[in-house]
Amino acid sequence: MEDGGSVLVETHNNSMSMVDSEASNRLKITFNGPAKSWTDAIPIGNGRLGAMVWGGVPSEIIQLNEDTLWTGTPSDYTNPDAPEALSEVRNLVDNGKYTEATEAAVKLFGNTTEVYQLLGDVKLEFDDSHIPYSEETYHRELDLDTATARIRYSVGDVEYTREHFASNPDQVIVIKISGSKLGSVSFTVSLDSKLDHHCYINGKSQIIMEGSCLGKRIPPKVKAGDNPKGIQFSAVLDLQISEGIGVIHVLDNMTLKVEGSDWALLLLVASSSFESPFTEPSDSRKDPTSESLRALKSIINLSYSDLYARHLDDYQNLFHRVSFQLGKSPNKITNDGSLVINNLMPSANAVYFKGNNDDGVPTVQRIKSFQSDEDPSLVELLFQFGRYLLISCSRPRTQVANLQGIWNKELKPKWDCAPTLNINLEMNYWPALPCNLSECQEPLFDFIKHLSVNGSKTAQVNYQASGWVAHHRSDIWAKSSASGGKVKSALWPMGGAWLCTHLWEHYNYTMDQILGKNKDALVQKVRVAEPRLYPTRIARDGSVMEWVKDFEDPEVHHRHLSHLFGLFPGHSITIEKNPDLCKAAENTLYKRGEDGPGWSTTWKIALWACLHNSEHAYRMVKHLIKLVDPDHEIAFEGGLYSNLFAAHPPFQIDANFGFTAAVVEMLIQSTLNDLHLLPALPRDKWMNGSVKGLRARGGLTVNIRWKEGDLHEVCLWMKNGRSLHRLHYRGITVTTNISSGIIYSFNAHLKCVNACSIPKEGFL
């Protein structure tokens, strides 16, 4: 095509070219040795089941999670004594006795949250020949393009390969072990767990592990009968080997032993008795073992190739919706002349840059060197890793992504691994809509629905109010009352309100009007109440006021930035409409400083981006990409572990998602009628690049390419309807009509240079 000219729709080609191989290498997290700590391990997941692959050679641990394994049972989150305590607190506040009010507010606490648990471990033991393996041949990787963890090493003249993936369509974790010589695969396998459990052999090639979670978060120390029945679970491991070569032995200690096989295939399925937040585990009609065996029976005759193909089809349908490439110099551009490929689905088949594709350089070294080389391909990798994690830990009909997604190795994880509603849970889902993964937020909507049931009871009894309420932490039982701990964090009744903004954003991005309640009484009530909300104001020092009164800030460098919500993730503060408040927000960010945990750092990236300050947004990108040693963690300092998990420390997954969402804000920002292009692009750092498949408010899908720091081409389209949009780029504003079924191409001056019809089935 001519420069800035028509857009081509290319035909799909399944063959992998040299450029495709380069694309795949760019999306790999690599290691040159087995994991030494949990944050060196590779996470895989299908939304419900998760695993951490350590990659040990003589012995291996694959640590397992199932997202419904929690302590506890349904509970009553109301307190009939709360209204009296609330009245006391309000009177003290009205009289300016804030210290006394804080002390009295502990009477408003409810029970503490329950705790997310682990499932167990797959343990593999290889024969003694694996002890002196050739360390220089060892390679371990997570391929984001295929959601596959691979391990490769040599023992003598035999090369061993292990492949791992978690299939969503078949609800199974698959592990294949193979050797380059006939009959070279021998090992033992067993299951174990820190939870109360027992294992037994089923037939000649299956291990069944059955167990239970605690009915209370702490083992009861009171009279017998006070220990309620907790969630029950079962995991089934099926072992298959090459036909006619090798043998499986059953050992006395509930272990299976493989001898002399060409390959082995391990299938791990798991289930629990959890039905809903409102069903007692003792009343559950689910039999975890029967459910697990049924799941296994449905796939037992599928070959490894079939399982892998079904996994790829499901995963890549989501992952390939967005591609992102960065380069520093123009000679790294491979111009294929099109921003639209494969029926408008970006994929690894379209690559514009040839960068540092040497997968022999471990990711940990790339993190270490980022402060000096500022390798843009590492930014790409971290961006797509966030999308990978969301696909892997949050799918329709799973539980909401918790503080660590679905991955957890502890019986008592930090902060209970609970959904935390004063930023962390919301941040988990910031990338869902702009990064074209709207299905992945369905668990959040299910969670909100359950929370509103318990929250309406808490609101009615504790606050004598209508509507519903949630506080700063919850759990699988949809806890809505305030947890114990510190009053200043626990007594925060805004969780439900913040979560509901995600419902509205779903409409903003999808333009889905099935509800049809524009004239509903609740809508009218909200419109009357909205002008009564206390406005955002500017403090004496020029920053945004955090409280109703202009108090002196007791922690100037505190990690939270809730008073900047209107700037991001909200959009009530904008450069065009509120220049004074934007200046105050800038002062607030300077005041808070750059230090903080990972999630605070990524929030600051987004906030600086919304101020169109590319320099400071990029400074915070660099601030995040620094290596954290798990043996010498410093609290609240953020950073990345060697597997790219983000650190608070310890590991919290929110910053991984926050980073992905913040990068989008650097590339596009939108309202229902406005689209800002490259508003915070660090032109000298990301001089050349393209992004495809991003979603914008108003129902738009956006592809952008830039060269030498300047916009080169942008393509827009809608799935349904039509809209009037204003496009903004460096002082240029144009108004354009966008209709569904047509893709519009604009040049660097925002002139529409082409509009062509495309097949409706090509839309996402």
Side-chain angles (χ1 to χ4, degrees), residues 166-179:
S167 168
N168 178 269
D170 293 315
Q171 288 297 300
V172 60
I173 292 174
V174 180
I175 306 164
K176 185 178 182 181
I177 304 172
S178 57

Side-chain angles (χ1 to χ4, degrees), residues 318 321-322 383 387 431-437 660-661 664 693-695:
L318 296 168
R321 291 177 183 177
V322 171
F383 172 87
R387 296 184 67 247
L433 289 165
C435 290
N436 220 330
L437 297 173
T660 300
V664 173
L694 295 181
R695 300 298 302 272

Side-chain angles (χ1 to χ4, degrees), residues 701-721:
T701 302
V702 183
N703 292 354
I704 307 176
R705 181 163 55 195
W706 62 97
K707 294 181 179 180
E708 299 290 348
D710 295 321
L711 179 67
H712 179 65
E713 183 182 13
V714 58
C715 295
L716 308 175
W717 65 91
M718 294 182 67
K719 182 177 181 180
N720 297 305

Side-chain angles (χ1 to χ4, degrees), residues 56-127:
V57 177
S59 61
E60 165 70 312
I61 292 178
I62 300 168
Q63 186 261 316
L64 306 170
N65 290 105
E66 202 274 356
D67 71 349
T68 63
L69 298 191
W70 284 74
T71 64
T73 61
S75 186
D76 180 4
Y77 303 113
T78 65
N79 177 5
D81 297 327
E84 182 178 351
L86 182 62
S87 178
E88 178 187 357
V89 170
R90 284 173 171 167
N91 286 333
L92 290 169
V93 169
D94 289 343
N95 290 312
K97 298 180 178 180
Y98 304 116
T99 301
E100 293 85 346
T102 299
E103 294 171 352
V106 297
K107 301 174 186 177
L108 296 170
F109 283 172
N111 297 329
T112 54
T113 52
E114 294 297 339
V115 186
Y116 182 53
Q117 301 289 273
L118 46 75
L119 173 57
D121 299 320
V122 176
K123 294 186 173 181
L124 302 172
E125 298 288 340
F126 295 86
D127 59 44

Side-chain angles (χ1 to χ4, degrees), residues 18-36:
M18 182 185 302
V19 176
D20 300 331
S21 176
E22 291 174 356
S24 182
N25 283 345
R26 294 174 74 86
L27 294 180
K28 289 181 179 179
I29 301 171
T30 62
F31 309 81
N32 61 4
K36 296 180 180 179

